[in-house]
Amino acid sequence: MLFCSYVDNAGEAKSEGVEFELAAYLSDSLKFDLSASYGEAVLVGDSSIGKSGQNLPGSADFNLSTGLQYDFVLAGYDSFTRIDYAYIGKYYGNIDETGTAIGGHGYINLKAGMAIDQFSIDLFVNNLTNDNGITWVDNINAR
């Protein structure tokens, strides 16, 4: 079996965008978090990898995350419950943006915990809705 690979530098790229982050206490016990980003990462100038203006692989234009945490005392110990939602925008794993799109999905995580002296006990459920969103596609044969 013969396996060959070729690696080349894409030349110059440009990444521009905006990010927003907010953390606010809605009450003494209730905290709200929100963050969002929009960005474009593109090639600058033509190269053997692609044409000027093409999106870089693996870079979603839009991402969002939000969370709500409730802090309380249970049996004399500091405790909390938390819910988080995250959305990953759609992107491709190759410069030509062909094949299977990655991202374009969201997921929910739950967490609860308690601090007992110098120990912290946390219980969590990641991907509560069991979303099957694709997180990466390997493009060995893509240019």
Side-chain angles (χ1 to χ4, degrees):
M1 181 170 122
L2 178 63
F3 178 76
C4 297
S5 72
Y6 172 77
V7 177
D8 196 2
N9 192 334
E12 288 188 48
K14 173 176 70 171
S15 179
E16 295 179 324
V18 294
E19 294 180 17
F20 172 80
E21 189 171 321
L22 171 73
Y25 279 94
L26 305 177
S27 72
D28 289 342
S29 303
L30 191 60
K31 181 181 178 187
F32 173 73
D33 301 298
L34 173 68
S35 64
S37 65
Y38 177 81
E40 292 184 355
V42 297
L43 286 176
V44 175
D46 295 346
S47 71
S48 61
I49 301 298
K51 303 281 185 205
S52 184
Q54 284 185 292
N55 288 324
L56 296 179
S59 57
D61 286 348
F62 180 73
N63 293 294
L64 170 84
S65 66
T66 187
L68 196 60
Q69 179 170 317
Y70 179 67
D71 296 318
F72 58 97
V73 176
L74 180 64
Y77 299 108
D78 290 337
S79 305
F80 72 93
T81 58
R82 181 170 182 87
I83 184 169
D84 290 290
Y85 173 77
Y87 175 81
I88 298 96
K90 187 168 70 170
Y91 60 96
Y92 289 87
N94 62 59
I95 198 85
D96 292 322
E97 296 188 333
T98 58
T100 303
I102 307 158
H105 67 277
Y107 54 90
I108 297 171
N109 296 330
L110 299 177
K111 188 173 183 180
M114 178 183 284
I116 303 173
D117 299 324
Q118 72 269 25
F119 297 99
S120 177
I121 300 169
D122 293 346
L123 302 171
F124 59 91
V125 176
N126 286 337
N127 196 8
L128 178 68
T129 59
N130 200 28
D131 187 294
N132 288 341
I134 298 172
T135 58
W136 187 252
V137 174
D138 198 2
N139 293 292
I140 292 173
N141 295 320
R143 88 173 166 139

